Amino acid sequence: MSYIGIIITFVFINNFILTQFLGLCPFIGVSKNVESAVGMGFAVTFVMALASISTWVIYNYILIPLDIEFLQTITFILVIAALVQFVELVIQKISPALYKALGIFLPLITTNCAVLGIALINVRNDFNAIESFIAGIAAGFGFLLAILLMSTIRVKLDSEWVPKPFRGIPIAFITGGLMALAFMAFDNALLNNLLG
Amino acid sequence: MSDNSNFIIETSPQIKQSDSTKSVMWVVSLCLLPAGVWGVWIFGPRVITVILASVISAVAAEALMGYLAKRNTLMDGSAVLTGLLISYNMPPAIPLYIPVVASFFAIFVVKWTFGGLGGNFMNPALAGRVFVFFSWTGHMTRWTMPDALSGIDTVTTATPLGFLKSGLLDYTGTAVSPVSFLVETGYPHSTLDSGITAWFSNNLGLDFANGYVDMFLGNIPGSLGEVSVFLLLIGSIYLFARKIITWDIPVSYLLSFGILIWIFGGTRYTGGTYFSGDVVFHIFTGGIILGAVYMATDMVTSPLTGKGRIIFGIGLGFLTFLIRVYGSFPEGVSLAIILMNIFVPMINQYTKPKRFGIQIKRDTK
């Protein structure tokens, strides 16, 4: 797959939120206002790119030579958790401003299944190092797009008379479902025809 | 405090005008009627049951929700309009439970979970249509040939766009435009079409291929209310004149779509070149007039500002072009509209006009 193909795939066609339904907890939890949604989106993009490249290294230079690929899930979880904590410490030391901007989001992302998801998907697709990295960034931007749109809709819904049983989380899930319905417009045939 | 609810004081501009939600919804429904009558005329009386099933189920759903919410919203006509639009997007031979499910989905899920008319961010009729499209794709893509083309009743066929989409997959011929492709592969056209085309050719010296007249009048297979471009445009004249529909969305939609089709539409054919796409064909088929004039302009789910509406229209044109020319669905109008509905709150936010007297904060440091 070409690099542009990977980007289109992970931003639109296999959007992590709206097609694969991965990483729904920050999608629902942090989409109440636009600023925090954008912050979360960029934090996830950053971590996904980092996780993609580091898990690729671990997988190809440790797991495969030792013939222990079956340990990939647990290894990836450990690597991602350790990496995020490490990055948090580094950012706190080097750039307090960025640390403050990312705030609580960075440690939260450790447990985001989208991050583990991109690592496993990279392995499944046999991506090389550059492809994994691009897939990580593209998947992060797909997440950013979804959470940004979600937050603008939820801000609008704040001023609407939403029936009491649906207020808050339920209407957010219904909104997400309708967005997923619209995103069914993007499918693999579209990608194949576009890139011929 | 005395009861002064009769003296509502509003801020300026204090202009009295007669349009209300109610009148707008009923007027739009009325303007849609000719196209529906045309659908009954060419596809047969069964179409009436499809229209009735969608409208009645939409109204029943609205009545139930209005009862639960203790608000009587039946008379505002929005449920009738939603039901009407859903039925206009159905193939004539659709089993009746499909429009019923679409209406229920539209009213219950897309509209009332958000608090009824005005709260929804997505066009209920189109979301309902897309929902049933993905649920029963087989039924939703089984089209009936109009009587004028087949001579006998109920021949199943493909729409011109659907025919084009599947036909182009393994096409090795020489046609470089949709209509020449259809003519080459023997797609039928009516005697009326040949008559009018010949008349134009003989009397006015205007030569165009057979088929365009059929597409314009609505003598083609398609959704039961979308086929007659002519009658949909007739109905819209009144809406434009009364300014119930503003020009910005339909014009920016059709213009951006047309330009993109003109540039790239021809490249899908073997030996096709840039700047040779058949704009007229694509505007006359696939329900884009119904979408651009009656559905994209829905007041609840389109942007508030003029600039926002133009951005919305251009986005619609681009997405329709993308889905229709490159995607796996032949039409693409309904998906494009619900996709752009998602962007409307963001468009509203970034095209908010500056209030008079507010200055941009200068950096005082």
Side-chain angles (χ1 to χ4, degrees), chain A residues 122-191:
Chain A
N122 285 338
V123 169
R124 202 170 62 194
N125 286 339
D126 280 331
F127 283 158
N128 65 32
I130 299 171
E131 283 170 342
S132 301
F133 183 66
I134 290 175
I137 292 184
F141 276 122
F143 180 89
L144 175 65
L145 175 71
I147 199 171
L148 174 61
L149 291 171
M150 181 67 158
S151 65
T152 55
I153 294 171
R154 285 185 76 177
V155 168
K156 175 195 180 264
L157 288 181
D158 280 345
S159 57
E160 303 291 351
W161 183 86
V162 176
K164 213 172 173 197
F166 292 108
R167 251 172 248 172
I169 306 289
I171 200 67
F173 270 103
I174 292 170
T175 305
L178 291 176
M179 287 166 73
L181 183 69
F183 261 68
M184 286 179 83
F186 303 116
D187 57 4
N188 281 316
L190 180 71
L191 180 72

Side-chain angles (χ1 to χ4, degrees), chain B residues 236-300:
Chain B
S236 72
I237 291 174
Y238 181 71
L239 297 179
F240 281 123
R242 280 278 309 276
K243 291 188 178 164
I244 289 175
I245 295 175
T246 48
W247 290 96
D248 27 24
I249 293 176
V251 168
S252 59
Y253 184 178
L254 294 176
L255 205 63
S256 59
F257 175 75
I259 290 172
L260 285 167
I261 286 288
W262 178 60
I263 298 177
F264 297 105
T267 61
R268 302 291 293 152
Y269 302 87
T270 21
T273 50
Y274 288 103
F275 304 105
S276 67
D278 189 341
V279 180
V280 177
F281 171 81
H282 280 281
I283 299 273
F284 282 0
T285 54
I288 193 168
I289 295 293
L290 181 65
V293 177
Y294 293 90
M295 299 195 286
T297 49
D298 172 31
M299 289 173 182
V300 177

